[in-house]
Amino acid sequence: MMARSAATLVTHPFQVIALRSMVQFIGRETKYCGLCDSIVTIYREEGILGFFAGLIPRLLGDIISLWLCNSLAYLVNTYALDSGVSTMSEMKSYSQAVTGFFASMLTYPFVLVSNLMAVNNCGLAGGSPPYSPVYTSWVDCWCVLQKEGNMSRGNSLFFRKVPFGKTYCCDLRMLI
């Protein structure tokens, strides 16, 4: 758990830079160009804390996911799998992968909130109204998403849903 948390702390600034670099495509902006320029931009505009925007929900999600995955894998390996099976080590590796997938599904809201907070009100069009509301904290973001029923938005490639009450250009019969 400590190693995972340390890795998250070290890599989160790069996650923030990557997310902001992707989000700038929404407004066709070029605010974040390359690693060094992005570091300077974030530090100049937000200080050192800008690199850690969205860190708390990401850490919580990682820790919960790790505990869930390992606990479920232990339960499956101990109580559900027969120890007489000749491919026991292979079965245990499969159970670890399946429980990891299950844990990541359950902790997806933490990833979503972390990603939204990393780009929240950072000066990019995609992190500001009308594309995204401005949140006061990650808890505020969580509450708004939960109230709207959007805690699982973006978690599926194939089964997409339109958030309740939103209007999109296809609803207005506009051509893109």
Side-chain angles (χ1 to χ4, degrees):
M1 184 174 77
M2 295 302 289
R4 179 78 175 253
S5 298
T8 299
L9 280 170
V10 170
T11 61
H12 192 74
F14 300 107
Q15 174 83 357
V16 170
I17 291 169
L19 288 167
R20 290 181 182 188
S21 296
M22 289 182 257
V23 166
Q24 72 183 355
F25 287 110
I26 293 172
R28 292 185 168 82
E29 298 154 297
T30 57
K31 187 174 182 179
Y32 299 97
C33 301
L35 181 64
C36 294
D37 183 53
S38 298
I39 290 171
V40 170
T41 302
I42 292 172
Y43 185 75
R44 186 181 24 171
E45 292 182 2
E46 301 170 61
I48 197 77
L49 292 178
F51 294 104
F52 299 99
L55 176 66
I56 301 298
R58 184 171 176 213
L59 270 175
L60 286 173
D62 280 352
I63 291 168
I64 293 169
S65 178
L66 186 67
W67 278 91
L68 261 173
C69 178
N70 289 335
S71 298
L72 289 173
Y74 174 78
L75 290 172
V76 167
N77 292 338
T78 304
Y79 299 109
L81 293 178
D82 183 16
S83 60
V85 178
S86 61
T87 58
M88 185 53 123
S89 62
E90 188 176 322
M91 293 297 286
K92 285 186 177 184
S93 67
Y94 288 140
S95 70
Q96 187 77 26
V98 169
T99 57
F101 177 73
F102 183 68
S104 69
M105 282 178 31
L106 290 177
T107 58
Y108 178 76
F110 290 99
V111 174
L112 175 63
V113 170
S114 175
N115 290 347
L116 287 173
M117 291 307 295
V119 299
N120 182 52
N121 204 24
C122 66
L124 295 172
S128 306
Y131 296 105
S132 175
V134 175
Y135 303 108
T136 57
S137 69
W138 75 268
V139 176
D140 176 43
C141 178
W142 184 284
C143 292
V144 169
L145 289 173
Q146 194 167 34
K147 188 171 76 175
E148 293 176 347
N150 285 332
M151 291 303 282
S152 63
R153 79 177 209 196
N155 72 340
S156 174
L157 288 173
F158 303 110
F159 303 106
R160 308 297 272 188
K161 69 176 190 167
V162 176
F164 180 73
K166 300 289 182 182
T167 302
Y168 293 92
C169 56
C170 60
D171 296 336
L172 302 173
R173 308 254 190 266
M174 296 173 65
L175 296 176
I176 297 178

